[in-house]
Amino acid sequence: MRIEPVFLFDLDGTLVDSVYEHVLAWKEALDSEGIDLSVWRIHRKIGMSGGLFTNQLIRETGVAIDEERGERLRKAHAAAYRRMGERIRPLPGARELLSWLSGAGIRWAIATSGRMETASVNLKALGVDPDKSPVVTRDQVKYAKPDPDLFLAAAKRLGAPIETAFVVGDSIWDMLAAARCRALGVGLLCGGYGAEELQKATAFRVYEDPADLLLHIDELGGRR
């Protein structure tokens, strides 16, 4: 009996070119609270859970961030990101990859650390309707990456064992979450992390972007 693969996709930096808009939105939010953090340090945190983001901010800046302040930061980031919404575009091959998987009868879902207030901007750019395609956001799980909750919930939505899933993401946080739930991590370089970083975080294959992944889809059990 053939094991049918399923694909669980991160969203930012994996299917849509949005990482740097998130970085700039967080920079604006942090500046509004008088918290000085370099842009490159913000980039390293994109994709992790909000709680881990806050903990790392406290460690790196020494600034106290209570629940109220954390909520102000989140709302300021979301507002800034929505203002940049018109800039967001699908990454090369993203729409074609999802269309090919659907046409081949291979199930897929999207699992993002973003809440729907920002994820909706990306889904619109990608042409994905969350009422018609399985999408799991931060609003729907207790913990986000590097915890595996998002991917476990996405696999459940597909009715598939997590062990049959490929988790496709652009960050080390995606790969760590994949390893924790016994899925196979597939890294993409289009979010700014390097191949060696992704491989050290357990990615067993690394591709440039969705177009490159589609070109090599047979390496992951997809059949053209």
Side-chain angles (χ1 to χ4, degrees):
M1 184 176 67
R2 185 169 185 266
I3 296 175
E4 297 292 340
V6 297
F7 285 77
L8 311 179
F9 292 97
D10 172 51
L11 187 56
D12 292 291
T14 298
L15 294 174
V16 293
D17 194 5
S18 57
V19 168
Y20 295 101
E21 281 75 17
H22 273 297
V23 170
L24 294 174
W26 275 117
K27 178 63 174 170
E28 182 176 321
L30 291 165
D31 286 347
S32 71
E33 289 288 321
I35 301 173
D36 185 24
L37 192 66
S38 300
V39 166
W40 75 269
R41 291 187 181 276
I42 298 173
H43 175 261
R44 306 296 295 181
K45 297 170 181 55
I46 299 300
M48 66 174 61
S49 72
L52 183 55
F53 194 152
T54 300
N55 290 341
Q56 291 209 3
L57 278 178
I58 293 170
R59 283 197 293 267
E60 292 181 20
T61 66
V63 174
I65 302 176
D66 57 18
E67 185 175 345
E68 182 179 348
R69 195 175 201 185
E71 184 65 10
R72 287 202 307 270
L73 283 168
R74 185 187 67 79
K75 289 181 177 179
H77 161 263
Y81 186 78
R82 287 195 298 268
R83 290 200 304 274
M84 302 177 192
E86 293 302 316
R87 307 181 194 175
I88 306 303
R89 297 289 184 274
L91 281 156
R95 288 175 175 170
E96 293 81 0
L97 174 59
L98 298 182
S99 177
W100 187 90
L101 291 172
S102 295
I106 298 174
R107 291 171 293 165
W108 57 269
I110 291 173
T112 174
S113 288
R115 297 180 184 274
M116 187 55 79
E117 61 187 347
T118 55
S120 59
V121 175
N122 300 339
L123 294 171
K124 180 180 178 182
L126 190 59
V128 169
D129 184 347
D131 292 327
K132 297 179 180 178
S133 300
V135 176
V136 179
T137 66
R138 178 67 183 85
D139 314 271
Q140 300 167 33
V141 297
K142 186 173 182 179
Y143 298 113
K145 306 163 197 172
D147 285 278
D149 300 32
L150 286 162
F151 296 125
L152 289 168
K156 186 176 181 180
R157 287 279 299 275
L158 296 176
I162 190 64
E163 294 85 357
T164 69
F166 293 106
V167 165
V168 183
D170 66 292
S171 76
I172 61 172
W173 314 110
D174 297 308
M175 299 303 101
L176 291 170
R180 291 181 68 183
C181 61
R182 303 184 305 283
L184 287 174
V186 177
L188 300 185
L189 300 177
C190 41
Y193 279 90
E196 185 176 357
E197 291 180 289
L198 294 169
Q199 288 164 343
K200 283 184 176 179
T202 75
F204 92 108
R205 288 288 186 276
V206 177
Y207 302 101
E208 291 183 358
D209 56 18
D212 191 37
L213 191 159
L214 179 56
L215 184 64
H216 297 89
I217 194 69
D218 54 330
E219 297 177 359
L220 305 180
R223 293 291 183 264
R224 286 182 174 278

